[in-house]
Amino acid sequence: MRGASQAKWVVAAVAVALAATACGSGSSSGDANGTPDAAGTFSYQSSEPQHPLQPANAMEVGGGRIIKNLFRGLVDYDPATGKLRNQMADKIETTDAQHYTVTLKSGWTFHDGTPVTAASFVDAWNWSANTKNNQINSNWFSDIKGYTDVHPEKGDPTTDKMSGLKVVDDTHFTIELTGPVSYFQYKLGYTAFSPLPKVFYTDPAKYGEAPIGNGPYKFVSWEHNKAVTVAAYDKYQGIDKPKNGGIVFKNYTQADAAYKDLVSDNLDVLDQVDPSDLASYKSDLGDRAVDQAQGGITSIAFAMYQPAWQGVDKAKVRQGLSMAIDRDTITKTVLNGSRLPADSWVAPGVAGYKKGACGEACTYNPAKAKELIAAGGGVPNNKVTIVYNADGGHKDWVDAVCNSIRQATGVECLGDPKPDFKTARDVIDGHKVDSIMRSAWQQDYPLNANFLRDIYGTGASANDSLYSSPEFDKLAKEADSAANIDKTTELYQQAEAVLAKDMPSIPLWFYKTNSGWSNKVQNVKFDSFGDPVFTQVEVKK
């Protein structure tokens, strides 16, 4: 997500923040000198994608990581340095952060052999933004002039093209925004801005089951609830050509089962170590263990659409529940030091992170918790439940959070597990949560806007709680049109202060990448997004 002179300082300002968190895990030790098999495939711990594999329809990691490997957009981030780098873009020029001219590199093709052109981007963005196509990430195009014509708040679109997008020729197109957005180029790194081939439009639903992209890997198969397999694309033109022959995204419904498979070399790369194995994974894996910073946060969000949680006084109740959670003890014991207690809604290392933005509400204080809950009229029915996916290793910490709330306040708290990630997301997306839901976020681009507007802005695609604050939205709008990154982050910090007042969610802890790999692979590194650098993994002969 994430030229002209203005583009350059945008890159410089935010790249520093990403680089701070983009430390690698180091080269594979032990058998680091094993002979690599360029045609060898490796397996990765994954989950069933929630939606068809369309670039603008994957927000969760199960589908998102697959999409990231099937497609390449205009830009992405160098996993080693954190700097913004061009992929399909030869250059992106702007003098005012509102009008952009994009020049594409020639020679790129989709996996079906057809060329990737300027129209491949413009047509894809227009289709993805259109409200009729029901893409979960359609909101990402809202900065572009004409978005409201294809995605009105009510009624049908008046056109199928955003007026801010113009194709000049096969390798040039222009973008006009509704106003300046100082960090727009960083947003362009998000997979929603990927190009689409012409065949997509003949049957988008069918395409979503067997996508054709332009990235380093091409689609092979999707065995639902089992695995998605991709193979290296030999005509890939990007700067990160695969050092392996492909990936099997292997579904697991229990995180501890994935870890056991890793230890026994039946799984090659892990997503995250489950809580029950955190205490031993470093000794189990030795030099193959990973422990590094990551730009992500775990929160629990309130179902603000439920009448019982609405009203000014209920903010006090939410603040009280937050103060009833002993983050320090839970992160040190249940999570074995694999997380850092959260003190804000924005992860450290991200441009605009403000230490202590959550205020006293993120500090454990049972007495004050009871006082605030009483002042706000009490918890509805004196009971809360936390919706989460049982296949993600969350049970231990959810139980610990509930125990802390129960012991500190006397409020009954229970976990509400759903069998897998897709089922949990369907409940959350359907706005069927009674009180509280697990809410985790990994950065799409390293700016506080991504942790704030993209989650808490009215109508934002990731706004699961349906929180809406005119004050927050006003500050976010001012931040987006600010003259520079520094002013943007400052105004978003003011917007974050509104969250501290309203408490639509409770920040719990910041992510770390706790992972590892098998004896069958080498050169495994992780980026600050918590993803392995898939193209660089080497499979040993």
Side-chain angles (χ1 to χ4, degrees), residues 89-152:
D90 182 51
K91 55 185 175 180
I92 303 174
E93 300 172 290
T94 184
T95 58
D96 59 4
Q98 181 175 0
H99 301 83
Y100 296 81
T101 299
V102 178
T103 302
L104 299 178
K105 296 173 183 174
S106 300
W108 281 64
T109 61
F110 288 106
H111 301 150
D112 63 356
T114 58
V116 185
T117 67
S120 306
F121 283 92
V122 171
D123 291 348
W125 297 3
N126 279 322
W127 187 91
S128 299
N130 194 307
T131 189
K132 286 188 174 182
N133 297 322
N134 197 31
Q135 297 293 282
I136 195 169
N137 287 316
S138 58
N139 179 259
W140 280 80
F141 303 96
S142 61
D143 295 317
I144 299 173
K145 184 179 180 182
Y147 172 78
T148 54
D149 296 328
V150 301
H151 199 112

Side-chain angles (χ1 to χ4, degrees), residues 259 263 270 272-286 289-291 330-339 396 514-515:
Y259 182 76
V263 172
L270 197 68
Q272 284 277 13
V273 178
D274 63 289
S276 63
D277 289 300
L278 283 169
S280 62
Y281 88 101
K282 290 182 181 179
S283 60
D284 290 343
L285 301 177
V290 180
D291 182 358
I330 295 172
T331 54
K332 289 175 183 176
T333 57
V334 177
L335 296 172
N336 284 285
S338 67
R339 302 289 186 269
D396 291 348
N514 302 103
S515 186

Side-chain angles (χ1 to χ4, degrees), residues 52 88 134 183 242 276 368 382 418 439 452 485 505 507 510 529:
M88 274 217 64
N134 197 31
Y183 56 95
S276 63
K368 188 65 178 291
N382 201 44
K418 305 305 176 187
S439 177
L452 298 172
I485 287 287
S505 70
F510 300 123
F529 295 80

